[in-house]
Structure formats: C-alpha cells, structure tokens
Amino acid sequence: LDAGTYSSGESSITLKEMAKFPFVVASMDIAVGSKDKIARMVITDGDRVYLYRITPERVLEPEWTYRGDTRARVFSVQLAELSDDGVPYVVVNRYSQIPAILVNSLILATKDKKAAVAVENVSEILLAVDASGDGVKKVLWAQSFVENGFFKQGDATRVRLQNGRLVPDGRVRVP
C-alpha cells in the first residue's frame, strides 16, 4: 500500500509480524473471551481448522488443530461464545460440490485441550453475530443454502446450542 492509504494513524501504528503460514488462509477470525480475556485466533486453509491463543507477548500458541471430512471444504470460520460460561466455540461452514452434501456446517469446542465436535451435519450456513454491540459474538443465525446465489434472501433463523443440538429460537429479518 502507498504511505497514508492504510490508515490516517498508520505512521503511529507499530506493525509486528506474528506468524507466517505455509498455506493460503481461506478464512480467519480473532476474538477476546469475555470471561477469560484471552485473545484467540482461528484460521483455516480450507481443509484444517487451527485455533491459537495470542499471548501478551504477541506470540501464537497453538491450542488445537481439527481436520474433518475431506469431502467438503471450509469456507468460513468464526469464534463465538454460544453458552453462558464464556467458552469459545468455533463456527465452521463447509461447502461440497457433491449434490447430496452441498453445505455441511459444524461447531467445534475445546475438550481436554483438543478439538471436539459440539454440533455436526448442519445443512445450513451458520453466522455468529454480535447482536448486543458489546464486541462478543453470542448469537447464532442459520440460513438455508441456495445453489443460485449462495445465500437465501430474506429471513434467517436464530438458533441456540442446547444439549449438543441447534434449536430454533425465532426468526430474524435479514436485509
């Protein structure tokens, strides 16, 4: 970028390279836990999902890596707090060209310092939302996949995590 085109405060921002990855990052998200105040970063290369902690020294510490079904490619990952305990979940959306699969989303959690599937085989696109404006994504929307246009125009369904399942919790009007 040309000088001054990134930000008006660009010259006062000290940028530091934290990591280099030997793959193209297809999607990533960064969030700070509301309870533990730990910054985390989730990234994907389309096949694997990697969860890192960001230390105060700005070092990435791996928490876990998840590799799921190779018939579908990950196209988005998001960090969200889907329970009242402040535990971060990873919302993963995957797409497959196989007509019987198409969208196959899932939600990952951490159990015994490893990735654990909290919900799987969701045939809708999941979107974590900060509905209250406090900076933490705590609400989850689900929207049907449409082959022509990808997203269905109009309504989505607000869902919540309950006993290892996603339960509908009302309609959401989406622009």
Side-chain angles (χ1 to χ4, degrees):
L1 296 172
D2 293 330
T5 60
Y6 173 70
S7 168
S8 60
E10 176 181 4
S11 61
S12 65
I13 300 171
T14 305
L15 299 178
K16 178 185 174 190
E17 183 176 284
M18 293 179 63
K20 285 186 180 182
F21 298 101
F23 52 82
V24 174
V25 175
S27 179
M28 71 176 284
D29 192 21
I30 298 173
V32 176
S34 65
K35 298 227 172 152
D36 65 10
K37 303 298 184 203
I38 295 174
R40 288 182 173 81
M41 178 174 74
V42 61
I43 64 171
T44 183
D45 61 359
D47 289 324
R48 293 181 180 90
V49 176
Y50 305 87
L51 182 65
Y52 295 92
R53 288 176 179 232
I54 302 174
T55 67
E57 298 81 29
R58 295 189 182 110
V59 175
L60 295 182
E61 291 180 356
E63 282 198 48
W64 49 253
T65 301
Y66 173 82
R67 183 178 179 130
D69 186 351
T70 58
R71 296 177 297 164
R73 302 250 325 142
V74 177
F75 66 86
S76 77
V77 290
Q78 286 186 286
L79 288 162
E81 292 183 10
L82 303 177
S83 60
D84 293 332
D85 58 7
V87 173
Y89 289 84
V90 178
V91 178
V92 179
N93 288 297
R94 301 183 300 177
Y95 175 78
S96 174
Q97 293 182 351
I98 300 170
I101 299 174
L102 295 177
V103 169
N104 186 346
S105 302
L106 66 132
I107 300 174
L108 300 171
T110 302
K111 185 175 182 179
D112 300 325
K113 299 184 180 183
K114 295 180 181 178
V117 176
V119 177
E120 61 184 333
N121 297 323
V122 178
S123 60
E124 297 171 302
I125 299 167
L126 300 175
L127 179 66
V129 180
D130 173 11
S132 64
D134 65 358
V136 181
K137 295 179 287 266
K138 294 182 178 180
V139 176
L140 193 61
W141 292 355
Q143 188 174 46
S144 299
F145 169 74
V146 178
E147 285 188 75
N148 184 12
F150 203 75
F151 289 104
K152 180 181 176 185
Q153 288 186 351
D155 292 331
T157 303
R158 186 174 49 251
V159 294
R160 59 186 161 81
L161 185 60
Q162 181 178 328
N163 299 326
R165 297 180 328 131
L166 290 180
V167 177
D169 194 27
R171 304 287 296 161
V172 179
R173 183 76 184 143
V174 180

